[in-house]
Amino acid sequence: MMTGTVNTTQELAAFLRSRRERLDPRDFDLPSRRRARRTPGLRREEVAELAGVSIDYIVRLEQARGLRPSANVVEALARALRLAPDERAYLFNLAQQRPRNADKPATTAAPPLAQLVADLSPLPAMLMNHRYDILAWNGEMARLLLDFDTLPPSRRNAMWLCLVHPEMREFYVDRERVVREGIAHLRAAWAAHPEDQALIDLITECTTRNEEFARLWAERDVKVNGRGHKVMRHPGAGVIAVHFEVLVPLQDPDQRLMIGRAADDESRSALDRLCAR
C-alpha cells in the first residue's frame, strides 16, 4: 500500500522491476544462455543489452540508488520494456523528464472525434492538430468562418487562412491580438514537436512570405490558449462575439476540439440567423 507523498526514486525502481519481470524472454531475439531462470521475466543484463546501457546502471536504478536517467535513457528503457503509451508517460513522469511525442502528428480526424464535432451542432465546432491544421468541422463552423470544403487540404490551416486568405484577413475585429496569440501557440508547438517537418515548413513559409508573422514571431511570445474570446465581422451576419473553449482528448492528445458559443444575445441571434440559412 502506498500512502503520503510519492517517493519517485523508489517507485521508479519498483516500476522498472515489475515491467521487466512481466516480459516473456521468448518474445525477444536474445542470445541463448545456459543457466536456468530463477525469476520471471527478463534478466537485468538482458534489459541492459536491449536498452544500450550498462548492467550496473540497471542494478542501481532498480535499487533506487539516486540515479535520475536522462530523457534518452528513459526512451531506451521504454522501448526495451515494450511499455504501452500510458506506461511510457508514467515512466517519464517518475524520471522527471518530458516525454518525446511517441506518435506522428495527426493529419486526419479520429472517427469518434469527427462524429463528436458533427454532434455538437448547433454550436460551431472544429478539430485541429497542434499546428492548426483543420481536420474536421461542422456546418455551423463553416458558416461562421469559411467553407473549408472549397480549399485544398494543404491550405486548411487556421494560421495560414488568417494571414493570407482574402476573406479572413479583415475578419477579426482585434486582428493583431488573434494573430499574436496564434503565433505564440505555434511557438509552443514548435518546441514540443521539433521534428515535425510540416510545422517547420509552415513557420518558414509564413516567416519568409508574411511580414506581420515575421515581426510577431521574432518577439518569441509563448502561450497556449485553452479558452478565449473573439469578435468577428461576418459579411452576412454582422459583428459576432464568440467565446471559445479548446479541449484535448486523452486518447488523441495531438487533436484539439474547439467549441464556440455566442458571447451575448446579439451574437446569439446573429448565429441563429446565419445557421438557419
Side-chain angles (χ1 to χ4, degrees), residues 203-215:
I203 293 169
T204 301
E205 178 185 6
C206 291
T207 304
T208 56
R209 298 180 59 181
N210 188 277
E211 183 179 340
E212 180 182 24
F213 185 97
R215 173 175 58 83

Side-chain angles (χ1 to χ4, degrees), residues 159-177:
M159 175 55 68
W160 185 89
L161 291 171
C162 187
L163 290 170
V164 176
H165 197 281
E167 293 181 32
M168 298 292 294
R169 280 194 56 81
E170 304 302 325
F171 187 71
Y172 294 104
V173 172
D174 190 358
R175 172 184 167 78
E176 176 152 334
R177 179 183 62 82

Side-chain angles (χ1 to χ4, degrees):
M1 181 183 297
M2 292 189 299
T3 60
T5 304
V6 175
N7 183 322
T8 55
T9 302
Q10 293 286 346
E11 177 58 19
L12 175 64
F15 184 66
L16 288 174
R17 287 195 303 272
S18 70
R19 299 306 94 169
R20 174 174 63 81
E21 291 171 356
R22 74 176 184 174
L23 295 171
D24 188 338
R26 293 172 297 182
D27 294 335
F28 294 80
D29 184 20
L30 293 167
S32 60
R33 292 177 170 89
R34 292 186 176 182
R35 62 189 174 95
R37 293 180 182 271
R38 292 175 293 180
T39 57
L42 296 184
R43 297 186 175 105
R44 286 169 172 167
E45 60 262 34
E46 291 169 334
V47 172
E49 183 178 337
L50 290 168
V53 297
S54 69
I55 299 173
D56 179 63
Y57 194 89
I58 297 295
V59 170
R60 292 171 68 192
L61 278 176
E62 290 194 2
Q63 291 179 349
R65 287 161 56 185
L67 290 181
R68 183 183 172 186
S70 68
N72 286 339
V73 171
V74 176
E75 186 68 47
L77 289 169
R79 286 197 304 268
L81 297 170
R82 299 188 177 180
L83 298 186
D86 291 343
E87 294 173 323
R88 176 180 174 275
Y90 185 64
L91 182 64
F92 269 92
N93 285 334
L94 290 175
Q96 301 176 53
Q97 296 287 357
R98 183 171 182 173
R100 296 171 182 168
N101 214 3
D103 302 318
K104 292 182 179 180
T107 55
T108 58
L113 293 177
Q115 184 60 53
L116 178 59
V117 169
D119 291 344
L120 282 167
S121 296
L123 293 176
M126 65 181 178
L127 193 69
M128 297 180 287
N129 60 17
H130 65 267
R131 66 173 87 104
Y132 278 147
D133 292 335
I134 301 166
L135 309 179
W137 60 91
N138 60 15
E140 288 77 8
M141 186 62 81
R143 295 185 189 98
L144 177 62
L145 295 183
L146 192 66
D147 185 357
F148 302 114
D149 272 325
T150 63
L151 301 171
S154 62
R155 288 312 186 191
R156 293 174 190 161
N157 179 276
M159 175 55 68
W160 185 89
L161 291 171
C162 187
L163 290 170
V164 176
H165 197 281
E167 293 181 32
M168 298 292 294
R169 280 194 56 81
E170 304 302 325
F171 187 71
Y172 294 104
V173 172
D174 190 358
R175 172 184 167 78
E176 176 152 334
R177 179 183 62 82
V178 171
V179 174
R180 181 184 295 277
E181 289 179 353
I183 291 172
H185 167 94
L186 278 186
R187 182 169 281 280
W190 176 65
H193 302 268
E195 298 176 358
D196 181 359
Q197 189 59 49
L199 176 59
I200 294 169
D201 292 344
L202 172 67
I203 293 169
T204 301
E205 178 185 6
C206 291
T207 304
T208 56
R209 298 180 59 181
N210 188 277
E211 183 179 340
E212 180 182 24
F213 185 97
R215 173 175 58 83
L216 295 174
W217 179 262
E219 294 182 9
R220 288 182 163 78
D221 289 342
V222 180
K223 186 178 182 181
V224 178
N225 270 356
R227 61 172 56 97
H229 178 86
K230 293 180 181 179
V231 182
M232 310 165 189
R233 300 186 189 93
H234 194 279
V239 175
I240 301 177
V242 173
H243 292 309
F244 68 87
E245 192 82 20
V246 180
L247 308 177
V248 179
L250 285 174
Q251 201 69 24
D252 299 281
D254 190 51
Q255 304 194 28
R256 289 149 172 77
L257 178 63
M258 175 181 281
I259 307 168
R261 54 189 175 85
D264 50 55
D265 291 339
E266 292 80 6
S267 298
R268 187 172 297 106
S269 297
L271 271 176
D272 289 344
R273 292 195 304 271
L274 185 64
C275 295
R277 295 177 182 176

